């Protein structure tokens, strides 16, 4: 379902998530929920990793998979990836609220909004990124856990980290448009 | 400048002793924010006349004879001074709803009605700021050289700024002249003073109180916002697994916490991120969930800050599991 690439979408600008920098302030959730296109619901989620033993939080934004499980399992063809690599939220006129995508996503991103009978998820602030602006969450993050910009810049700023976008869930490999920052030398993130 | 008055807790103590009989407060929610709030409640009940100005009806306002609807930061013109000492301009973006008015206009009209209008001759917020400029002249935080025009032009001016042609002081002490007898900077080690209420065999556990990230101060604003309620809907008792095991307390079991000033029940949150001899309760809630029913009213002799961070408590497990914290409730009510 690829559409024409939007001219002003700047492919030089990429999304890097540095989970260990998340301080749990939830500014990203608040900024995301300001947006009326999401029905004022946050499409990014901050969670404790293991509250019983740590105060560390982590942030989960849609990873925009190259081969998105959410779109593959959708029986209504409501989820589309465009030629810029952005996986869009469910088309509201097609989504039947079945929650297949909610269960299929290995990152736990899509959420079923019960009141709306719709799945909703991050669309990389398409209204902003398609005209060369950063996603709202990346503009408010005070600790650099969410970074949207040129790769050279983040590599200069974080010389001990390397961006990774290959995830292994058991025998399943998932490649994504969004990167996570990992220790230098890492090539993939394995989830057992 | 007016003379030194009473700090917030001392003021409530003076009301309790019957020395103060009337109170006009602005954005003051002592029934949540002050320690030993069973005493605070008694004091509020003793007031002969109480007028509360606030932008939302707070938990303390139920004790007021008259409540006046004030204004939010976004509805007022004025200045704010940031933690780095930068004086910035605040401009209203919306007008107060209904009959709500700016706090300054309420005070000025009250002054006129009470026959003291000549002491409040202000026509606009800048007139009040200009009085602060004169009042602070020659002081440590000297605002005299700061004007509205200068603030707007420079995106803020840092105090001290002693004269109109002074650019302000973004970084203090760059001239290495300090306001001490010998002009040198002094390290000022604070002598250790033990807490006023040490633990003992009756109250063997240290109680400390504080905040959670999703709530702000006494919650007058933030307990009304579903999205801020959801991440932490109710106060929990943080307790270390080894202390919990000693009392047989399980995660989310309701625990009665008792001090010499009050008692309240909280679900336990068993975490290794707290000391083994200490329990923690956040203070943002009112009524039976208020942590400040338990805290002690001892003040630091210099700062007058109450000892919110340490008092002695006992833990009484109830054996009852708290129902799950219902995160989705706020969404449903929206």
């Amino acid at each position: 379902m690829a559409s024409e690439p939007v001219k002003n979408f700047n492919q030089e600008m990429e999304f890097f998530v540095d989970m260990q920098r998340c301080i749990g302030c939830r500014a990203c959730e608040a900024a995301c929920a300001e947006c009326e296109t999401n029905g004022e619901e946050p499409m990014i989620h901050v969670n404790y990793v293991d509250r019983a033993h740590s105060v560390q939080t982590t942030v989960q934004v849609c990873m925009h998979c190259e081969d998105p499980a959410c779109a593959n399992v959708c029986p209504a063809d409501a989820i589309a990836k465009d030629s810029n690599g952005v996986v869009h939220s469910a088309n509201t006129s097609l989504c039947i609220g079945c929650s297949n995508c909610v269960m299929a996503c290995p990152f736990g991103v899509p959420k079923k909004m019960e009141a709306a009978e719709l799945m909703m998820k991050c669309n990389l602030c398409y209204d902003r990124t398609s005209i060369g602006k950063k996603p709202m969450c990346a503009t408010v993050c005070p600790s650099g856990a969410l970074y949207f910009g040129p790769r050279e810049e983040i590599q200069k700023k974080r010389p001990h980290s390397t961006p990774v976008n290959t995830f292994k869930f058991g025998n399943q490999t998932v490649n994504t448009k969004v990167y996570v920052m990992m220790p230098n030398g890492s090539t993939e993130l394995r989830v057992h | 400048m007016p003379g030194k008055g009473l700090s917030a807790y001392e003021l409530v103590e003076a009301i309790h002793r019957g020395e103060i009989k009337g109170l006009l407060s602005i954005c003051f929610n002592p029934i949540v924010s002050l320690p030993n709030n069973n005493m605070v409640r008694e004091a509020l009940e003793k007031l002969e006349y109480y007028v509360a100005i606030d932008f939302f009806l707070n938990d303390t306002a139920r004790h007021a004879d008259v409540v006046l609807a004030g204004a939010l930061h976004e509805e007022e013109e004025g200045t704010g001074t940031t933690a780095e000492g930068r004086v910035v301009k605040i401009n209203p973006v919306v007008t107060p709803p209904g009959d709500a008015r700016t706090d300054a206009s309420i005070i000025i009209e009250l002054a006129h009605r009470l026959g003291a209008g000549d002491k409040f001759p202000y026509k606009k917020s800048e007139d009040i700021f200009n009085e602060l400029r004169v009042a602070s002249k020659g002081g440590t935080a000297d605002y005299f050289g700061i004007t509205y025009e200068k603030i707007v032009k420079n995106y803020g001016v840092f105090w001290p700024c002693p004269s109109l042609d002074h650019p302000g002081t973004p970084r203090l002490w760059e001239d290495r002249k300090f306001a001490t007898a010998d002009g040198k900077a002094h390290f000022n080690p604070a002598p250790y003073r033990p807490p006023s209420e040490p633990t003992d065999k009756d109250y063997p556990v240290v109680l400390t109180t504080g905040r959670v990230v999703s709530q702000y101060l006494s919650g007058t604003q933030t307990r009304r916002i579903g999205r801020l309620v959801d991440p932490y809907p109710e106060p929990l008792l943080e307790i270390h697994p080894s202390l919990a095991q000693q009392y047989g307390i399980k995660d989310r079991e309701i625990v009665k916490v008792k001090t010499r000033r009050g008692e309240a029940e909280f679900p336990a949150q068993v975490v290794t991120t707290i000391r083994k001899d200490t329990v923690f309760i956040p203070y943002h809630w009112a009524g039976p969930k208020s942590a400040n029913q338990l805290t002690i009213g001892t003040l630091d002799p210099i700062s007058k800050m109450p000892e919110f961070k340490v008092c002695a408590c006992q833990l009484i497990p109830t054996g009852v599991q708290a129902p799950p914290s219902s995160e989705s409730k706020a969404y449903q009510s929206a």
Side-chain angles (χ1 to χ4, degrees), chain B residues 25-60:
Chain B
S25 70
I26 304 178
C27 294
F28 189 38
N29 195 8
I31 209 91
V32 178
S33 63
L34 288 183
N36 188 15
N37 64 18
N38 288 320
M39 185 283 284
V40 174
R41 186 176 296 104
E42 284 173 20
L44 292 166
E45 282 163 8
K46 286 183 181 179
L47 279 171
E48 288 174 18
Y49 196 66
Y50 176 24
V51 181
I53 303 173
D54 212 330
F55 39 66
F56 295 118
L57 196 65
N58 71 33
D59 312 283
T60 303

Side-chain angles (χ1 to χ4, degrees), chain B residues 87-116:
Chain B
V87 182
V88 294
K89 184 78 196 304
I90 310 283
N91 296 313
V93 288
V94 284
T95 49
D99 293 330
R101 297 163 54 162
T102 65
D103 297 353
S105 79
I106 294 172
I107 298 288
I108 291 167
E109 185 169 341
L110 278 177
H112 277 91
R113 291 207 198 177
L114 293 168

Side-chain angles (χ1 to χ4, degrees), chain A residues 33 40-42 51-54, chain B residues 227 231 238 269 271-273 331:
Chain A
E40 301 186 358
E41 296 288 350
R51 182 61 195 91
H53 300 291
S54 165
Chain B
R227 205 176 303 296
E238 279 186 25
Q269 184 184 29
V271 289
T272 55
T273 51
Y331 288 125

